[in-house]
Amino acid sequence: MSVQETTAVAHCDRLAQAIRAFRGPAHRTEHWGERLAEVLGGGGRLLAAGNGGGAAQAQHRTAEIVGRYRDDRPPFSAIALHADTSATAAIANDYGVDEVFARQVRAHGRPGDVLMLLSTSGASANLLSAAAAGRGAGLRVWALTGPAPNPLLAGSDEALCVAAPAAATVQELHLVAVHMICAAFDAALERRHG
């Protein structure tokens, strides 16, 4: 077996181990999908944020709310807070990086909306500030993080923590969680309107 094959197999083994551990808390994705169907179906909004890979997953999440996951359905309001580059650059310049998401949460969030934060470390200062701003504005704050305990877990209303030592594995399971939330969201919408 070559070094490349060994590296690939080791990656798959780490992912398989992490997904086995993930099966226990994964039921939270069903609850989140159902709750999101209630909020968005009632005219509420999803705000999502992350840094780096978390930003990519947050944008993936909002794209599947505004667009679709599998089947055609009406669009719903979802905003990836990092995607407005002019706003993020201006806020970072004028107020500091820690305020990049919090200021947008205060601008766009309304009581009852959902704020989803994605972080492999669960310790990013700008996400912690966003969580505090969300809770202060009456939003429901959900976090997808890496291993617990972490500060974002403590600062959120609900969290799903991935027990994996590698950031790449955490991000891969965050994508799994995003898709599970999408499936639960669509199923809940179908029950509501089916």
Side-chain angles (χ1 to χ4, degrees), residues 53-54 118-124 127 144-147 150 162 164 166-168 170-171 174:
L118 296 92
S119 173
T120 57
S121 69
S124 301
L127 296 177
L144 280 171
T145 75
N150 62 66
V162 174
V170 171
Q171 289 173 344
H174 282 180

Side-chain angles (χ1 to χ4, degrees), residues 9-82:
V9 168
H11 184 101
C12 289
D13 289 346
R14 283 191 303 272
L15 184 56
Q17 182 179 3
I19 206 157
R20 277 192 298 275
F22 181 73
R23 288 175 64 102
H27 64 86
R28 184 173 304 278
T29 62
E30 292 207 15
H31 164 71
W32 284 0
E34 291 166 2
R35 178 70 181 125
L36 206 51
E38 291 173 19
V39 170
L40 301 184
R45 173 178 293 155
L46 170 67
L47 304 178
N51 296 299
Q57 301 290 19
Q59 194 163 350
H60 187 131
R61 180 71 196 111
T62 59
E64 289 176 336
I65 293 292
V66 177
R68 67 178 182 158
Y69 175 54
R70 288 190 182 129
D71 300 321
D72 193 33
R73 59 157 169 71
F76 294 92
S77 182
I79 301 170
L81 298 178
H82 69 280

